[in-house]
Amino acid sequence: MSAARRTIRFKLNDRPVRADIAVYETLVEVLQRDFSLFGARESCGQGLCGCCTVIVDGNAVSGCLYLAAFLDGAEVTTIEGLAKRDQLHPIQECFASKFALQCGFCTPGFIMMAKELLERHPHPTEDQIRHYLSGNLCRCATYPEIIEAVKTAANHYADNNGS
C-alpha cells in the first residue's frame, strides 16, 4: 500500500514552486529531492544540531523535523537563496572573512540562524548571539570565529538595514 501524496505550493527563495509530497516527508527531504538544494543537511535527525536550519515565514526551523505538508502557502528561504546573483549575502561574507566556516558542514545552519537573529535584533548583545546559536553545533569548534562573524554582520545590518 502506498502512502497518499498531495501537491503543495509555496515560495522557495523568492520564486513560486510546487512539490508532490507524502504526508510524512520533511522539508529537508523535499528540498533535496525536488529542488536539488543540499545546503540544509540532515545530521542528527532530531532537531538538535542545527545543520538543517531553514527559514519558513521568517522563522528558523529544523528542516529535519518540519513536515513538508506545512509548507503549503509558506515562504521558504534556504542558504542557496541568500546570495543574489554572484554576490554573497553580507552574513555569508562575514563568515568567510572571519574564517567561521572550517569544514562548512554546519555553516548554512549557523548563517540561517544568524539571519533570523539579525532580522529580529539588529543590534544583538553577545549573550543574544550565543542564545540564538545555542541550538547549532560545530564539530570543528569555530565558535569564537562564528560569534565574531555574527557581530561583524550585525554592524553591517546596522549600517545598511539588513540589505
Side-chain angles (χ1 to χ4, degrees):
M1 177 170 26
S2 66
R5 297 188 74 77
R6 65 181 270 217
T7 300
I8 58 170
R9 290 171 178 75
F10 59 101
K11 198 176 222 184
L12 176 60
N13 296 330
D14 295 324
R15 70 175 224 271
V17 298
R18 58 176 274 199
D20 292 322
I21 60 147
V23 295
Y24 56 82
E25 289 181 306
T26 66
L27 170 53
V28 168
E29 291 170 327
V30 171
L31 289 175
Q32 292 178 354
R33 182 195 66 226
D34 293 348
F35 304 103
S36 296
L37 297 176
F38 294 93
R41 300 171 177 100
E42 184 171 331
S43 181
C44 72
Q46 299 175 11
L48 300 173
C49 71
C51 288
C52 62
T53 303
V54 174
I55 299 193
V56 178
D57 291 333
N59 298 305
V61 302
S62 294
C64 70
L65 298 178
Y66 197 91
L67 291 176
F70 295 135
L71 295 176
D72 202 22
E75 187 166 331
V76 178
T77 305
T78 68
I79 191 72
E80 293 89 350
L82 290 188
K84 298 301 179 200
R85 296 194 175 118
D86 291 333
Q87 182 67 38
L88 290 177
H89 186 278
I91 298 172
Q92 292 171 307
E93 288 179 352
C94 291
F95 268 68
S97 70
K98 296 296 179 182
F99 305 102
L101 21 110
Q102 293 295 318
C103 80
F105 194 84
C106 67
T107 305
F110 273 103
I111 289 173
M112 298 310 285
M113 272 315 290
K115 182 171 180 5
E116 180 187 302
L117 165 66
L118 296 177
E119 294 292 327
R120 293 179 185 212
H121 305 283
H123 307 286
T125 64
E126 186 165 327
D127 284 344
Q128 285 176 309
I129 294 170
R130 289 178 184 278
H131 174 74
Y132 259 78
L133 302 181
S134 65
N136 293 70
L137 300 177
C138 174
R139 288 152 183 90
C140 299
T142 60
Y143 295 109
E145 292 84 357
I146 291 168
I147 300 296
E148 282 307 308
V150 176
K151 286 180 182 178
T152 303
N155 290 333
H156 183 287
Y157 264 67
D159 294 341
N160 297 300
N161 297 321
S163 56

